[in-house]
Amino acid sequence: MSEWLDAVKWDAQGLVPAIAQDAATGEILMVAWMNREALEETARTGRGVYFSRSRGKLWRKGEESGHFQNVSEIRLDCDSDVVLLKIEQVGGIACHTGRRSCFFQKLENGRWVTTAPVLKHPDEIYK
Amino acid sequence: MSEWLDAVKWDAQGLVPAIAQDAATGEILMVAWMNREALEETARTGRGVYFSRSRGKLWRKGEESGHFQNVSEIRLDCDSDVVLLKIEQVGGIACHTGRRSCFFQKLENGRWVTTAPVLKHPDEIYK
């Protein structure tokens, strides 16, 4: 039953990076980490679940913000050490800064420029 | 001049993961690692340059395969620890297996299923 989990090449901390990509637009929304339990629960429930390295525990995306992720596809790369999720981002906000995507810093002429607006203030998201 | 490189949160090994995304289609082609030198050279030359952890040195993508990457955009995530490159993949093959994308393993009914064809045999790519 869990052979597919054994096929993943977990790092020394038992983690792999996971990319969340908007299933409809292809936009990359965020990258977080998964342990075995997080990936198993993601596959079983169809909801994005990660492992918070700072808090040292499972992080069910949306549990505080309400911004859940509905996962339609799970992929693994050729080295089996990076996971790719195709998702629908509930609420349209994946980033803890209140932006749609975490990748809002763009390099322009040797500077990181913020390219996306805050859609909702974090104080309004995390009450 | 290199303040933008200081803004990146390099890990304990001095690396960050970098995602290469097809600039035209949004398809995620590969994930590799970059050190400071790799990111600097990528920005300066407009060619995808990574750090090979297995070989312990810079890896100028395409130097052996001819499958260079023309980089049109460099982004950084909210935590400044993941890089996103928008690229044009010369030759249309990003994966060392000879496939277009590295993410060809798809989870279906508890199994990883290969979903993409080998476009060119690796023996033909790496002579």
Side-chain angles (χ1 to χ4, degrees):
Chain A
M1 276 299 287
S2 61
E3 276 174 35
W4 68 277
L5 288 165
D6 297 333
V8 178
K9 292 220 181 68
W10 309 99
D11 72 8
Q13 284 75 47
L15 304 174
V16 288
I19 306 168
Q21 181 180 33
D22 188 300
T25 68
E27 187 177 7
I28 299 180
L29 300 176
M30 55 177 271
V31 172
W33 294 83
M34 283 185 160
N35 63 1
R36 186 181 172 102
E37 197 181 350
L39 182 54
E40 186 280 325
E41 186 170 317
T42 296
R44 180 165 44 81
T45 66
R47 283 277 177 90
V49 178
Y50 303 94
F51 181 81
S52 169
R53 293 183 300 173
S54 57
R55 287 176 285 177
K57 62 173 188 175
L58 279 195
W59 163 38
R60 294 174 178 90
K61 174 75 178 168
E63 62 190 350
E64 288 183 56
S65 63
H67 297 154
F68 296 97
Q69 296 179 337
N70 295 320
V71 178
S72 53
E73 200 174 301
I74 300 176
R75 287 178 173 265
L76 189 64
D77 79 342
C78 55
D79 296 324
S80 301
D81 61 3
V82 182
V83 167
L84 169 60
L85 306 176
K86 302 284 184 84
I87 68 155
E88 173 208 8
Q89 178 61 62
V90 175
I93 296 176
C95 185
H96 76 288
T97 64
R99 293 179 176 86
R100 174 163 176 70
S101 161
C102 293
F103 290 89
F104 57 81
Q105 302 187 82
K106 183 180 169 186
L107 188 63
E108 288 183 1
N109 303 314
R111 287 178 56 229
W112 296 110
V113 177
T114 295
T115 59
V118 172
L119 300 176
K120 196 171 180 181
H121 194 283
D123 289 351
E124 293 293 310
I125 301 173
Y126 304 95
K127 290 174 183 168
Chain B
M1 276 300 286
S2 60
E3 276 173 35
W4 68 277
L5 287 165
D6 296 333
V8 178
K9 292 219 181 67
W10 309 99
D11 72 9
Q13 284 75 47
L15 304 174
V16 289
I19 306 167
Q21 181 179 33
D22 188 299
T25 67
E27 188 178 5
I28 300 180
L29 300 177
M30 56 176 271
V31 172
W33 294 83
M34 283 186 162
N35 64 0
R36 187 182 173 102
E37 197 182 348
L39 182 53
E40 187 279 326
E41 186 171 318
T42 296
R44 180 165 43 81
T45 65
R47 282 278 176 91
V49 179
Y50 304 92
F51 181 82
S52 169
R53 293 182 299 173
S54 57
R55 286 175 286 174
K57 63 173 189 174
L58 281 194
W59 164 39
R60 294 174 179 89
K61 173 75 178 168
E63 62 190 350
E64 287 183 57
S65 62
H67 297 154
F68 296 99
Q69 295 179 337
N70 295 320
V71 179
S72 53
E73 201 174 300
I74 300 177
R75 288 179 172 265
L76 189 64
D77 79 342
C78 54
D79 296 323
S80 301
D81 60 3
V82 182
V83 167
L84 169 60
L85 307 176
K86 303 284 184 83
I87 69 156
E88 174 210 7
Q89 178 61 62
V90 175
I93 295 175
C95 186
H96 75 289
T97 64
R99 293 180 175 86
R100 173 163 176 70
S101 161
C102 293
F103 290 89
F104 57 82
Q105 302 187 82
K106 183 180 172 187
L107 188 63
E108 288 184 2
N109 303 314
R111 287 178 57 229
W112 297 110
V113 177
T114 295
T115 60
V118 172
L119 301 176
K120 195 170 178 180
H121 194 283
D123 289 348
E124 294 293 311
I125 301 174
Y126 305 95
K127 288 174 187 171

